[in-house]
């Protein structure tokens, strides 16, 4: 449900080419959703009193604000071309990049940021900022990679990654966060006319000896049934919400982070919840989410 009368997507820009990719992604999603698009950048004065005084005296901060406004105006013009039916607005805000985006997330339906920026005073899509915002925002956050280059992925590409080519990939573990991630992923896949792949991690128990442990088969069966109990209802819910949606399920043996990163080289989007169950399968959305954020080749959504 929208937090305003109309769905609103917020995207952070700073004039860098990485931010341009984030802007393009946000504008395309706004076009599909029929959403408003709000473009923001941040300008913060230096924290050192001496440097701050120099900035004020030399009107450097004013110049930085003017430069930021130029970047925002250009972004508004570009976004209006990409999403002509959307209401597009822009604003230069005072404050740190992370604080500005976190504040914006309270009123947005979706927040979009680049994976990194150029680190200038007006920078809003720094690597550390994107991770911080993805962790603490109050709405889903999309971190957009500037260049996927799957042909350079090398050993990262696996049969699993090719099986998810051009699809929306969502990691689930049966938690409430995973349920929200599934709903977001299914909605996005349906709007973008893409297939949906649901991924669940099945951790393999560590071998106790070189010989087969009689209890091992029972453990594996329990783990498989646990994954099936998660993935089967998830697939049914996605198909119920979107009857024409192409849905498939992939159960991976441990290494969920690596599998999702591998899938990202061919996937259109990877979706994760911000946290999962405090269990073995919960690893898919715990430390794994940070791994995917830092290493994925495709855009990644963290759903809160």
């Amino acid at each position: 449900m929208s937090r305003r009368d109309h769905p609103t997507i917020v995207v952070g820009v700073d004039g860098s080419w990485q931010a341009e990719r984030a802007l393009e992604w946000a504008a395309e999603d706004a076009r599909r959703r029929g959403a408003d698009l709000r473009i923001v950048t941040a300008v913060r004065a230096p924290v050192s009193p001496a440097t701050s005084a120099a900035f004020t005296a030399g009107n450097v901060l004013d110049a930085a604000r003017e430069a930021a406004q130029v970047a925002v105006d250009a972004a508004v013009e570009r976004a209006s071309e990409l999403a002509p039916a959307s209401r597009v607005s822009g604003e230069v805000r005072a404050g740190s990049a992370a604080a500005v985006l976190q504040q914006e997330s309270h009123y947005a339906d979706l927040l979009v940021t680049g994976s990194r920026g150029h680190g200038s005073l007006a920078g809003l899509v720094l690597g550390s900022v994107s991770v911080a915002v993805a962790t603490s925002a109050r709405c889903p956050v999309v971190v957009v990679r500037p260049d996927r280059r799957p042909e350079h992925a090398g050993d990262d590409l696996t049969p699993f990654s090719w099986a998810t080519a051009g699809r929306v990939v969502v990691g689930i573990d049966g938690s409430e966060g995973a349920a929200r991630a599934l709903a977001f992923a299914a909605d996005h896949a349906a709007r973008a006319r893409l297939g949906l792949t649901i991924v669940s991690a099945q951790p393999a128990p560590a071998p106790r000896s070189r010989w087969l442990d009689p209890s091992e088969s029972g453990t594996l069966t329990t783990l498989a049934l646990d994954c099936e109990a998660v993935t089967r209802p998830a697939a049914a819910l996605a198909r119920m919400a979107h009857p024409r949606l192409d849905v498939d399920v992939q159960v991976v043996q441990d290494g969920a982070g690596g599998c999702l990163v591998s899938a990202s080289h061919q996937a259109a989007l990877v979706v994760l919840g911000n946290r999962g169950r405090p269990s073995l399968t919960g690893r898919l959305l715990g430390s794994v989410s940070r791994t995917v954020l830092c290493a994925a080749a495709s855009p990644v959504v963290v759903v809160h």
Side-chain angles (χ1 to χ4, degrees), residues 14 43 52 60 63-64 76 109 112 118 128 138 141 152 184 200 210 229 249 262 271 274 277 279 295 297 299:
D14 68 353
V43 175
S52 181
V60 178
V76 168
D109 295 274
V112 183
H118 52 40
S128 60
R138 300 295 295 272
V141 177
H152 295 160
F184 181 99
S200 181
R210 59 178 297 187
V249 172
S262 176
V271 184
N274 65 325
R277 296 185 303 179
S279 64

Side-chain angles (χ1 to χ4, degrees), residues 123-134:
L124 189 60
V125 286
L126 305 177
S128 60
V129 171
S130 62
V131 172
V133 173

Side-chain angles (χ1 to χ4, degrees), residues 28-122:
E28 177 63 17
D29 200 52
R31 184 190 65 78
R32 293 195 194 103
R33 291 174 178 239
D36 295 341
L37 182 60
R38 174 172 164 79
I39 301 168
V40 297
T41 193
V43 175
R44 180 178 63 174
V47 295
S48 167
T51 308
S52 181
F55 263 62
T56 303
N59 293 321
V60 178
L61 187 56
D62 289 340
R65 289 194 183 102
E66 291 177 5
Q69 188 63 59
V70 170
V72 167
D73 291 344
V76 168
E77 182 177 358
R78 173 61 175 156
S80 298
E81 295 173 353
L82 296 172
S86 296
R87 291 184 295 184
V88 182
S89 62
E91 183 179 359
V92 176
R93 293 192 53 186
S96 70
V100 166
L101 285 176
Q102 288 165 353
Q103 290 166 8
E104 291 285 337
S105 75
H106 285 260
Y107 309 101
D109 295 274
L110 184 67
L111 187 64
V112 183
T113 178
S115 56
R116 65 179 65 87
H118 52 40
S120 68
L121 182 65

